[in-house]
Amino acid sequence: MEPIRAAIVGTGNIARIHADSLRGLGDGVRLVGAVDVDVDRLSAFCDRYDVPARHPDLTSLLEKEQPDLVHICTPPGTHHDLALACLEAGSNVLVEKPPALSLAEFDNLIEAERKHGAALATVFQHRFGTGAIRLRAMLDSGVLGRPLLAICHTTWFRNQAYFDVEWRGRWDTEGGGPTMGHGIHQMDLLCAILGDWTEVSAVARQQARRMDTEDLSMAHVSFAGGAAASVVNSMLSIREESYLRFDFERATVELTHLYGYGDDDWRITPAPEFADEVMGAWHSGASGVRSAHRAQFAEVLRSLRTGTPAPVTSTESRRTMQLVAGVYASAFTRSAVRPDELSTDSPFYRKMEGNGPRW
Ligand SMILES: NC(=O)c1ccc[n+]([C@@H]2O[C@H](COP(=O)([O-])OP(=O)(O)OC[C@H]3O[C@@H](n4cnc5c(N)ncnc54)[C@H](O)[C@@H]3O)[C@@H](O)[C@H]2O)c1
């Protein structure tokens, strides 16, 4: 079997995790080329990872290397145009979060996916740890009962210097603050477990950092399955944590970590009368895989080989992007927002900040 030919665009911080993860996946994938507008960074990256072809722009990489899969690891404002160019050239795309700056941009990529027959997947690595896979399977089997309540906290800390980097903290380059850039990971896992959301009420604040976007948002989200969730996205929280809690009829399931979790980061508290059933299901499920890029990449490569949709698919990540848009729409219109209100004629469809933030 020929190895899958992968390429990386943008050779900064996260690209190193991509390259290390690909290396860890063995002979089934080969890193054939890389692109960066910064030639020194590109050169250092290619030397370090033994990448045979270095290109100053994506067009030349697509023409000369014809990769099966392009990893887009550039700042968010560039994702749409780069992903579009790859899809048009027939290369599959794995784009870092957030996959685009707006629902409008994202739908444009979905259209290109359909037109050119290449797949667009988004990096949301926290779906791929075995704890999340086990939880989803237990929910599907009915052993946990109905989901009633969820808590989804991304309480992280970034100082002012972090936001002083040119492309950070701006609507036009990042599409939002911690809701779009950081909490999106936890909100994606929330949606992966609870499914479609039906309404969101939110506030967004500029609490402490000098930046264009929010540095804090808080939301109540209703889900079609009946659960209500409380979501906090903060860059101001000195004791940092990513915390998800699901209260089901038969158990409370908690996940506490920061940037990635293992099996030990989950805590299950069953109702006494269901303890054997719930704990039996938990201990007999998949185990041993941390939530990390490598776990997702393994699934993406498997899907490319078998011709199944590469995860996280555009349909799945659109729902998460739509929740992000809903948080901003609710916060800036000061009203509850349903998904159908974020259709093409909404200003929040075209830009995450709509016609402009209202603090
Ligand atoms: N999944 C995760 O856990 C995770 C973690 C961190 C960052 N990210 C995401 O990864 C992306 C990159 O973040 P980073 O911290 O690595 O940024 P970075 O600034 O360290 O690296 C970005 C690189 O892209 C290059 N670049 C910019 N525009 C380009 C273009 N048009 N063509 C080619 N190269 C270009 C830059 O020169 C730079 O080397 C962001 O979308 C970020 O949100 C994801």
Side-chain angles (χ1 to χ4, degrees):
M1 195 171 49
E2 284 293 303
I4 286 172
R5 295 163 52 77
I8 291 184
V9 187
T11 57
N13 291 322
I14 205 66
R16 291 195 280 275
I17 291 179
H18 282 242
D20 282 330
S21 305
L22 287 175
R23 257 191 185 169
L25 288 167
D27 297 337
V29 60
R30 196 150 48 92
L31 194 49
V32 296
V35 181
D36 201 300
V37 290
D38 180 328
V39 287
D40 294 336
R41 201 173 292 178
L42 175 65
S43 185
F45 180 87
C46 291
D47 290 347
R48 178 169 172 178
Y49 291 101
D50 213 8
V51 184
R54 46 198 80 182
H55 292 269
D57 62 68
L58 177 62
T59 312
S60 99
L61 174 118
L62 290 171
E63 270 174 23
K64 299 211 174 84
E65 313 305 333
Q66 297 180 350
D68 302 310
L69 178 65
V70 179
H71 295 234
I72 297 184
C73 301
T74 53
T78 63
H79 289 178
H80 170 267
D81 289 0
L82 295 171
L84 187 62
C86 295
L87 294 170
E88 285 174 348
S91 289
N92 302 295
V93 178
L94 179 58
V95 62
E96 266 297 348
K97 60 80 197 166
L101 292 187
S102 65
L103 289 172
E105 278 194 359
F106 198 61
D107 283 352
N108 211 27
L109 296 179
I110 293 176
E111 183 56 32
E113 231 186 337
R114 285 199 195 107
K115 199 162 152 194
H116 301 286
L120 172 73
T122 304
V123 177
F124 282 128
Q125 69 269 26
H126 300 313
R127 289 186 181 219
F128 297 87
T130 35
I133 289 166
R134 239 186 294 180
L135 172 57
R136 186 64 242 185
M138 284 171 70
L139 180 57
D140 290 344
S141 76
V143 69
L144 293 169
R146 280 192 312 128
L148 306 172
L149 163 68
I151 293 173
C152 175
H153 287 178
T154 302
T155 38
W156 293 3
F157 184 84
R158 296 290 183 274
N159 62 15
Q160 186 60 46
Y162 174 88
F163 291 107
D164 289 342
V165 170
E166 197 204 339
W167 55 271
R168 291 218 177 97
R170 286 168 41 185
W171 295 105
D172 62 337
T173 52
E174 284 215 277
T179 318
M180 177 74 151
H182 309 82
I184 194 169
H185 275 302
Q186 275 60 250
M187 288 191 286
D188 179 70
L189 185 50
L190 181 77
C191 291
I193 301 299
L194 294 182
D196 291 339
W197 63 275
T198 54
E199 189 171 278
V200 57
S201 299
V203 293
R205 308 264 299 243
Q206 289 187 316
Q207 194 81 318
R209 300 284 173 269
R210 289 183 308 280
M211 55 204 265
D212 296 343
T213 68
E214 87 287 2
D215 55 17
L216 170 67
S217 71
M218 303 170 83
H220 290 150
V221 187
S222 299
F223 285 85
S230 167
V231 179
V232 174
N233 302 300
S234 156
M235 286 298 106
L236 312 170
S237 306
I238 290 162
R239 188 181 76 73
E240 297 186 277
E241 185 172 82
S242 304
Y243 177 70
L244 278 124
R245 173 183 175 127
F246 300 93
D247 289 306
F248 298 96
E249 284 174 314
R250 297 179 178 184
T252 292
V253 178
E254 292 166 279
L255 170 62
T256 309
H257 69 116
L258 188 51
Y259 303 136
Y261 63 80
D263 290 341
D264 292 345
D265 297 315
W266 294 82
R267 179 172 165 190
I268 319 297
T269 310
E273 63 273 37
F274 295 107
D276 289 349
E277 210 183 323
V278 167
M279 295 317 290
W282 179 254
H283 290 305
S284 63
S287 65
V289 177
R290 288 188 66 79
S291 75
H293 284 70
R294 179 176 162 168
Q296 178 170 2
F297 294 179
E299 294 306 317
V300 169
L301 297 178
R302 199 190 326 274
S303 73
L304 291 181
R305 282 198 202 94
T306 56
T308 53
V312 173
T313 64
S314 46
T315 308
E316 287 277 309
S317 45
R318 192 185 192 283
R319 179 173 58 196
T320 301
M321 283 283 282
Q322 199 178 35
L323 178 55
V324 172
V327 169
Y328 290 126
S330 172
F332 298 148
T333 60
R334 315 246 161 113
S335 60
V337 169
R338 297 186 314 271
D340 63 304
E341 293 174 275
L342 297 165
S343 54
T344 51
D345 52 357
S346 163
F348 295 94
Y349 176 83
R350 291 190 306 279
K351 290 180 176 180
M352 284 290 168
E353 75 275 32
N355 291 329
R358 190 170 155 217
W359 304 116

